[in-house]
Amino acid sequence: MSTIKIKQIKSRIGAPADQKKTLDALGLHKMNRVVEHECTPSILGMVDKVKHLVTIVK
């Protein structure tokens, strides 16, 4: 499978608890961190949930 790189571009301060847990599950704990994951439907669903806090890096 292909992989995607996800970068946190906005702060998690003020985000609801479920969105903070989603960022934790993705491995994003600080701003401007980049993590790499397999491109699976579950990962894409998590990215969609916090799409205002993250971006996909090419």
Side-chain angles (χ1 to χ4, degrees):
M1 291 193 108
S2 63
T3 61
I4 58 171
K5 291 183 179 182
I6 306 163
K7 180 178 183 178
Q8 184 177 351
I9 57 169
K10 290 194 177 177
S11 175
R12 66 193 299 149
I13 297 173
D18 61 331
Q19 291 178 0
K20 290 179 183 180
K21 289 179 183 177
T22 302
L23 288 173
D24 288 340
L26 287 170
L28 296 168
H29 303 288
K30 292 185 178 180
M31 286 196 38
N32 296 317
R33 290 285 172 102
V34 178
V35 294
E36 191 169 337
H37 287 286
E38 293 286 329
C39 188
T40 61
S42 61
I43 295 294
L44 293 176
M46 287 193 279
V47 170
D48 188 52
K49 185 172 184 174
V50 292
K51 62 187 169 198
H52 58 287
L53 300 174
V54 300
T55 188
I56 296 178
V57 180
K58 299 292 178 180

